[in-house]
C-alpha cells in the first residue's frame, strides 16, 4: 500500500516556541492531505484539509493562525504549531488520499507526539 | 457526512472470530465504507474497504447488506496482537475525501 512518512515522531518544546511537523507521501502524489489531532483515549479529530497550491481549509474551532499549514508540493504538507502552549500537547497525525485507487482510501503517517512544557 | 456508530468496546479470546458491526444509516450513494486499525501512539492502518456485498482480503472480511446502512468487519482467529481500536469510516470523493472518525471500537483480545 501507499506510504505516508511523518516527522518527527516525537517532539518536546518550551512554551512559546513553534514546532513544524512534516508529512510526505513517498510513493504517490497527494493533492489533498489531512491533519488530525488525538488526545489520549479519544478518537481522531480532523483539524484541517491541506490542498496543494492553495490555502488549507480548517474545521470549525481550529485556529488557522495557530496551526499553519503549507502544502507546497504534491508530496509534502507541513503543520506548524505556532507559539505552542501546554494545551497544544497532543498526538498529531497526517493522512493523504491516494487518488489512484478506488473509493475513499486514506493512508496515515505514524503520528507526532507533541509535548509542550 | 455519514455518521457512524460502533460498540465502544469488545472482548475476545485468542483464536476466536470477531465481528464488529458499524451502523451508518445516512450513507450516501457514492460513499465507500472503510475500516482502520489503530494501535496506541501510531497512525491508523488501512484494513479493508468496500462498497456493497462482501469483500475479503488477507486479514479481514467486510460484509455489507443490500441497504448499506450497516457493515460488519470480521476478523478470523484473532491473536493478542489484534488488540487495538477499530474505526469504521464512510465517505466518497464527492466530499473531497474528508473522513470523520467516530468513537471506534476498542477490541481487547485475551489469552
Amino acid at each position: 500500500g501507499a506510504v505516508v512518512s511523518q516527522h518527527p515522531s516525537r517532539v518536546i518544546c518550551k512554551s512559546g516556541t513553534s514546532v513544524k511537523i512534516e508529512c510526505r507521501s513517498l510513493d504517490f502524489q497527494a493533492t489533498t492531505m489531512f491533519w488530525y489531532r488525538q488526545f489520549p483515549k479519544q478518537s481522531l479529530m480532523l483539524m484541517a484539509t491541506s490542498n496543494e497550491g492553495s490555502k488549507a481549509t480548517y474545521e470549525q474551532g481550529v485556529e488557522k493562525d495557530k496551526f499553519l499549514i503549507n502544502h507546497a508540493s504534491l508530496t509534502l504538507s507541513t503543520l506548524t504549531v505556532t507559539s505552542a502552549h501546554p494545551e497544544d500537547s497532543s498526538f498529531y497525525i497526517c493522512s493523504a488520499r491516494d487518488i489512484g485507487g478506488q473509493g475513499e482510501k486514506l493512508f496515515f503517517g505514524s503520528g507526532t507526539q507533541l509535548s509542550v512544557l | 457526512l455519514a455518521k457512524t456508530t460502533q460498540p465502544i468496546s469488545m472482548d475476545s479470546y485468542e483464536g476466536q472470530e470477531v465481528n464488529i458491526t458499524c451502523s451508518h444509516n445516512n450513507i450516501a450513494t457514492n460513499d465507500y465504507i472503510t475500516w482502520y486499525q489503530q494501535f496506541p501512539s501510531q497512525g491508523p492502518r488501512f484494513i479493508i474497504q468496500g462498497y456493497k456485498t462482501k469483500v475479503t482480503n488477507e486479514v479481514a472480511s467486510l460484509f455489507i447488506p443490500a441497504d448499506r446502512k450497516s457493515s460488519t468487519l470480521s476478523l478470523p482467529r484473532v491473536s493478542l496482537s489484534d488488540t487495538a481500536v477499530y474505526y469504521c469510516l464512510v465517505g466518497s470523493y464527492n466530499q473531497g475525501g474528508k473522513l470523520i472518525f467516530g468513537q471506534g471500537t476498542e477490541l481487547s483480545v485475551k489469552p
Side-chain angles (χ1 to χ4, degrees):
Chain A
V3 178
V4 174
S5 176
Q6 186 174 342
H7 288 279
S9 58
R10 180 178 293 274
V11 58
I12 301 173
C13 69
K14 293 182 178 180
S15 184
T17 62
S18 295
V19 174
K20 179 184 286 188
I21 303 170
E22 290 189 348
C23 181
R24 296 179 184 272
S25 56
L26 297 186
D27 50 2
F28 66 101
Q29 293 184 332
T31 56
T32 304
M33 292 186 176
F34 304 91
W35 288 95
Y36 295 82
R37 69 186 297 184
Q38 185 176 34
F39 293 107
K41 296 293 185 181
Q42 294 187 23
S43 183
L44 286 77
M45 182 190 78
L46 180 65
M47 298 175 66
T49 301
S50 170
N51 301 297
E52 188 268 335
S54 64
K55 291 183 178 180
T57 303
Y58 292 83
E59 295 299 302
Q60 189 174 9
V62 178
E63 300 175 59
K64 61 180 181 181
D65 295 329
K66 173 76 170 176
F67 300 99
L68 300 180
I69 293 173
N70 183 279
H71 194 155
S73 76
L74 287 173
T75 60
L76 174 64
S77 175
T78 61
L79 168 68
T80 301
V81 182
T82 63
S83 186
H85 291 284
E87 58 264 30
D88 298 323
S89 297
S90 185
F91 191 57
Y92 293 86
I93 310 169
C94 71
S95 69
R97 190 176 109 200
D98 182 3
I99 62 175
Q102 293 183 344
E104 201 57 72
K105 194 176 296 184
L106 287 184
F107 295 94
F108 290 82
S110 54
T112 297
Q113 182 64 54
L114 171 63
S115 298
V116 184
L117 305 178
Chain B
L1 296 173
K3 179 181 177 180
T4 60
T5 303
Q6 305 172 230
I8 293 176
S9 64
M10 293 183 67
D11 291 331
S12 181
Y13 291 93
E14 281 190 294
Q16 289 186 332
E17 177 184 79
V18 171
N19 296 308
I20 306 175
T21 297
C22 178
S23 296
H24 27 80
N25 291 319
N26 59 339
I27 187 170
T29 302
N30 296 325
D31 285 347
Y32 280 78
I33 301 159
T34 313
W35 285 79
Y36 291 88
Q37 174 193 56
Q38 186 184 28
F39 297 111
S41 299
Q42 294 186 26
R45 182 177 75 101
F46 172 85
I47 300 175
I48 197 167
Q49 183 180 77
Y51 182 80
K52 62 179 179 180
T53 64
K54 177 184 175 181
V55 179
T56 297
N57 61 23
E58 62 276 10
V59 298
S61 294
L62 178 60
F63 299 92
I64 306 170
D67 66 6
R68 305 202 324 125
K69 292 183 182 298
S70 66
S71 60
T72 299
L73 173 72
S74 180
L75 305 172
R77 298 179 299 281
V78 295
S79 63
L80 296 177
S81 62
D82 292 318
T83 294
V85 179
Y86 292 82
Y87 294 97
C88 158
L89 281 80
V90 175
S92 75
Y93 285 120
N94 291 337
Q95 296 166 9
K98 185 165 71 172
L99 292 183
I100 305 299
F101 279 77
Q103 61 185 10
T105 298
E106 186 171 9
L107 174 65
S108 177
V109 180
K110 303 175 182 178

